[in-house]
Amino acid sequence: MSISRPITVLTLATALLLGGCASRGPVPTFYDFGPAGAGMTAAQQTAAPLPVLVIADANGPSWLDSQRMYYRLLYADAQQSRPYAYNRWNTPPLQLLSQRLKTRVAQGGVKVLSTTDAAGGVPLLRIDVDDFSQNFDTQTQSSGHVSLRASLFRGHRLIDQKTFSRSSDARSADAQGGAQALASASDAIAADLLTWLGTLNIPKE
């Protein structure tokens, strides 16, 4: 009897440990936009739309301020946004998008400042995100869609405002494909922003 007791306790402890491991479920997979890649050439940077620009962190709906990855089944119910069960962003999309836009604008030859270190009189770009999701047209075809509103200010004066929307086809019908497509759509919008900024006549203070 003195020998069987510890064996029974050990067996019970092992069963509880295995049961606890089994109840945890799959480990989430985390995604981001990946490397930003090479910047613009020196010749392209000489045509930078602005010498210095403050880019505020992007604003958007509360569901974009979490790490959950969302998708829509346009062929079934376009009004319903669904989260992936075991896939996450490693940083909330609003932060991912903010950093990507700052990186791409800086690669365009613009000196990018944050709102905390901005000097007086420097133009400020505000970003309001309307949509950032993976949309499935069919069960096997999807795209990443990004839509945002950009507002350029000088002091308290609105210089101009424009809405940008971009979609990029996903390479696969899953979260990995969605992350790749949303990164591509975000890069395309950054290029559109640079082009737009280059068309503006910004008055001096």
Side-chain angles (χ1 to χ4, degrees):
M1 295 296 291
S2 60
I3 297 177
S4 63
R5 185 177 179 182
I7 295 177
T8 303
V9 172
L10 178 61
T11 303
L12 178 60
T14 303
L16 289 173
L17 178 60
L18 292 175
C21 293
S23 65
R24 293 176 186 174
V27 177
T29 300
F30 292 88
Y31 294 94
D32 58 22
F33 282 172
M40 303 180 74
T41 65
Q44 289 172 317
Q45 290 184 6
T46 59
L50 291 170
V52 184
L53 178 66
V54 176
I55 301 182
D57 290 337
N59 297 308
S62 59
W63 60 272
L64 288 177
D65 203 19
S66 76
Q67 292 177 256
R68 307 198 79 172
M69 298 182 73
Y70 287 89
Y71 64 92
R72 293 180 187 274
L73 303 179
L74 300 185
Y75 62 88
D77 185 358
Q79 281 69 48
Q80 184 176 2
S81 181
R82 310 162 189 255
Y84 278 103
Y86 301 112
N87 299 280
R88 301 283 189 274
W89 294 108
N90 64 9
T91 303
L94 289 177
Q95 296 180 31
L96 277 176
L97 184 58
S98 295
Q99 188 55 50
R100 191 65 155 209
L101 294 178
K102 291 177 183 180
T103 298
R104 288 303 190 191
V105 171
Q107 287 178 339
V110 180
K111 293 180 174 62
V112 176
L113 304 179
S114 67
T115 53
T116 58
D117 58 10
V122 177
L124 181 145
L125 183 66
R126 191 179 73 192
I127 302 295
D128 294 287
V129 183
D130 296 318
D131 191 23
F132 183 94
S133 59
Q134 182 181 10
N135 297 328
F136 283 83
D137 294 312
T138 68
Q139 292 183 357
T140 58
Q141 293 183 328
S142 70
S143 61
H145 181 72
V146 179
S147 178
L148 57 82
R149 184 171 60 261
S151 305
L152 185 69
F153 293 87
R154 188 71 179 262
H156 295 290
R157 178 181 176 184
L158 176 65
I159 303 303
D160 199 5
Q161 183 180 90
K162 188 172 182 178
T163 297
F164 297 89
S165 294
R166 280 285 192 163
S167 293
S168 179
D169 290 338
R171 297 173 184 171
S172 57
D174 53 18
Q176 182 180 13
Q180 164 266 320
L182 285 164
S184 296
S186 299
D187 285 341
I189 281 186
D192 292 342
L193 277 172
L194 282 167
T195 300
W196 170 63
L197 291 171
T199 67
L200 301 180
N201 182 18
I202 303 173
K204 297 181 179 179
E205 282 286 305

